């Protein structure tokens, strides 16, 4: 039986124990996982927004996963400290939905797609390959990441599916 | 948490007064019936504790929802929601005919209109009482579980502090039995502007 660690909104966790599993729920937010399966180090962040506007480091460790740029920077450093090889780190992500539709296309409520674009850009800047993703659409997703297999399991209560990426 | 109990109580009273004088008459006129309401709670919560306001009922039912974001001198998010099956009853009442097809485009439009009018009634009341200029977005419509709706609203509202002031209002149509919920979301730093 895996010990499940639930990642709250705007938070992140790094694990090194294969008996642990990371889990979160995302709608327009994105669950981004970085992992090095050789060193058995993985992290998951629940990213809410694309960039931190003031550039200042968050004082509260609790919401270090809130902004895409800050979350990835923190995860990469912490994973390397815990033994990950930067050349082996890969990424998977899910979420970034546009939950609210509106009749006129004004660009409002599109934080989900903006989160996805921002994360892809930051991954590229850090030479981290995005090996798979399940993003976009208009529904919420439960996301689990298993360090042992490197699989991300995505379920939607609304659409009634389970997907492994 | 930065907002003290007295300020939360004052905010509750101010919102209640706005709802009584503006929102209830607007909703009553639209639905053609007497509307009762209650503000279940106004409290400050961390965005990491959203589970605290997700009830079992809301976890299990798909909701029709409308989200409107207000910007200007004051920032506010308004999420109106009700179980999807009841939303068809509400739309039927507004349109004066039975909604047969759940995909009928008129249902989202009519629910969005209710969200628009209820939110406008509250921001008009705030403007009348404070002089603040507040602008509302176009309504966004969704059909999803409450957890997804809440996550999207909190993410979109996206304040820096990691905490939100949340007021949960219930509107109840006495004749039809329709129950409409509304969450009003504010920045803790702006509570003093309202009270």
């Amino acid at each position: 039986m895996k010990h499940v660690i639930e990642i709250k909104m705007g938070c992140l966790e790094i694990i090194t124990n294969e008996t642990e599993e990371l889990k979160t729920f995302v709608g327009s937010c994105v669950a981004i996982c970085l992992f090095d399966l050789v060193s058995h180090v993985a992290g998951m962040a629940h990213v809410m927004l694309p960039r931190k506007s003031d550039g200042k480091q968050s004082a509260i460790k609790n919401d270090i996963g809130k902004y895409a740029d800050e979350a990835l920077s923190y995860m990469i450093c912490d994973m390397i400290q815990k033994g990950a090889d930067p050349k082996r780190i890969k990424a998977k992500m899910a979420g970034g939905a546009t939950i609210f539709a509106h009749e006129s296309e004004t660009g409002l409520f599109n934080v989900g797609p903006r989160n996805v674009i921002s994360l892809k850009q930051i991954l590229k800047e850090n030479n981290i390959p995005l090996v798979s993703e399940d993003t976009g659409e208009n529904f919420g997703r439960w996301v689990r990441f298993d360090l042992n297999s490197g699989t991300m399991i995505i379920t939607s209560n609304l659409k009634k599916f389970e997907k492994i990426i | 948490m930065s907002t003290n109990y007295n300020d939360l109580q004052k905010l509750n009273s101010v919102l209640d007064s706005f709802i009584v004088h503006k929102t209830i008459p607007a909703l009553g006129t639209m639905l053609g019936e007497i509307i009762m309401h209650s503000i279940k709670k106004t409290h400050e919560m961390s965005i990491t504790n959203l589970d605290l306001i997700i009830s079992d009922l809301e976890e299990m039912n798909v909701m029709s929802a409308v989200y409107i974001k207000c910007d200007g001198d004051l920032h506010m998010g308004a999420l109106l929601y009700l179980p999807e099956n009841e939303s068809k009853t509400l739309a039927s009442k507004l349109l004066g005919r039975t909604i047969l097809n759940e995909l009928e485009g008129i249902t989202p439009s009519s629910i969005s209109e209710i969200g628009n009018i209820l939110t406008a009634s509250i921001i008009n009341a705030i403007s009348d009482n404070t002089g603040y200029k507040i602008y509302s977005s176009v309504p966004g419509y969704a059909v999803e579980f409450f957890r997804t709706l809440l996550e999207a609203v909190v993410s979109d509202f996206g304040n820096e502090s990691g905490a939100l002031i949340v007021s949960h209002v219930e509107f109840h149509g006495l004749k039809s039995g329709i129950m409409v919920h509304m969450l009003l979301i504010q920045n803790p730093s702006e509570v003093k502007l309202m009270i």
Side-chain angles (χ1 to χ4, degrees):
Chain A
M1 189 75 174
K2 296 261 176 178
H3 171 56
V4 178
I5 299 171
E6 190 164 341
I7 317 296
K8 302 284 188 186
M9 200 168 193
C11 298
L12 68 77
E13 287 291 338
I14 309 289
I15 55 170
T16 55
N17 186 336
E18 288 179 34
T19 63
E20 290 175 332
E21 184 177 276
L22 297 162
K23 178 185 175 185
T24 196
F25 179 83
V26 286
S28 56
C29 297
V30 178
I32 174 94
C33 284
L34 301 185
F35 56 97
D36 174 357
L37 293 183
V38 177
S39 305
H40 307 294
V41 184
M44 179 189 275
H46 182 136
V47 170
M48 290 172 64
L49 294 164
R51 298 263 175 188
K52 191 159 169 57
S53 55
D54 60 11
K56 289 179 194 161
Q57 184 90 12
S58 179
I60 317 160
K61 199 217 166 219
N62 265 353
D63 68 353
I64 198 85
K66 189 172 180 179
Y67 301 94
D69 51 351
E70 196 173 71
L72 283 185
S73 167
Y74 182 92
M75 281 171 90
I76 294 164
C77 288
D78 203 37
M79 285 176 66
I80 292 168
Q81 270 187 0
K82 289 185 163 87
D85 182 338
K87 291 190 193 100
R88 281 196 306 255
I89 294 177
K90 291 176 181 156
K92 292 187 179 184
M93 67 177 170
T98 302
I99 302 299
F100 289 96
H102 43 93
E103 289 171 13
S104 63
E105 292 296 326
T106 59
L108 284 162
F109 312 129
N110 63 356
V111 69
R114 285 194 285 119
N115 281 332
V116 171
I117 290 167
S118 178
L119 281 164
K120 284 183 178 176
Q121 193 179 333
I122 299 164
L123 288 173
K124 199 175 174 187
E125 286 164 10
N126 287 278
N127 296 314
I128 297 173
L130 176 66
V131 291
S132 54
E133 65 177 301
D134 181 50
T135 55
E137 307 279 356
N138 62 348
F139 52 86
R141 296 160 167 96
W142 281 103
V143 182
R144 284 158 34 220
F145 184 82
D146 177 36
L147 175 56
N148 200 28
S149 61
T151 54
M152 186 179 258
I153 302 133
I154 298 144
T155 51
S156 160
N157 293 342
L158 187 74
K159 303 290 179 187
K160 302 192 189 324
F161 73 72
E162 181 171 286
K163 194 184 277 186
I164 298 172
I165 63 171
Chain B
M1 298 294 161
S2 60
T3 313
N4 67 44
Y5 178 76
N6 284 342
D7 285 350
L8 288 172
Q9 290 296 102
K10 278 186 206 167
L11 178 64
N12 210 63
S13 300
V14 168
L15 286 174
D16 193 57
S17 154
F18 293 163
I19 289 164
V20 166
H21 291 105
K22 296 277 188 181
T23 312
I24 296 296
L27 187 58
T29 304
M30 271 194 292
L31 298 184
E33 63 178 307
I34 296 167
I35 305 293
M36 302 296 286
H37 86 287
S38 67
I39 301 186
K40 285 175 78 177
K41 200 172 185 184
T42 291
H43 59 142
E44 182 173 350
M45 59 180 297
S46 162
I47 59 167
T48 60
N49 286 333
L50 295 184
D51 282 346
L52 293 177
I53 57 169
I54 302 174
S55 70
D56 290 344
L57 179 71
E58 290 164 338
E59 190 81 291
M60 289 184 298
N61 282 309
V62 175
M63 303 285 176
S64 283
V66 180
Y67 172 55
I68 295 171
K69 191 175 181 179
C70 307
D71 287 317
D73 295 333
L74 197 74
H75 301 86
M76 185 180 272
L79 175 71
L80 177 121
Y81 64 96
L82 71 167
E84 192 192 10
N85 54 346
E86 288 184 31
S87 73
K88 274 174 261 174
T89 310
L90 185 61
S92 297
K93 204 165 160 49
L94 279 174
L95 298 165
R97 64 181 173 88
T98 307
I99 306 282
L100 297 171
N101 181 354
E102 64 182 274
L103 299 174
E104 204 170 346
I106 202 78
T107 303
S109 290
S110 51
I111 304 296
S112 295
E113 195 52 33
I114 293 176
N116 216 8
I117 290 168
L118 298 193
T119 306
S121 71
I122 293 171
I123 62 176
N124 282 343
I126 296 171
S127 290
D128 287 350
N129 282 271
T130 61
Y132 296 142
K133 288 192 173 68
I134 305 167
Y135 312 96
S136 60
S137 70
V138 292
Y141 180 78
V143 175
E144 246 290 6
F145 286 95
F146 182 66
R147 179 181 291 277
T148 308
L149 301 169
L150 188 62
E151 197 260 19
V153 166
V154 170
S155 169
D156 181 78
F157 198 68
N159 70 339
E160 293 280 329
S161 73
L164 296 166
I165 303 293
V166 180
S167 304
H168 181 181
V169 191
E170 277 182 357
F171 300 100
H172 181 206
L174 277 191
K175 192 175 161 192
S176 63
I178 289 171
M179 183 83 84
V180 179
H181 300 262
M182 194 174 210
L183 282 190
L184 296 170
I185 296 170
Q186 294 173 262
N187 280 326
S189 61
E190 295 188 351
V191 168
K192 294 279 187 194
L193 298 175
M194 286 274 289
I195 57 178

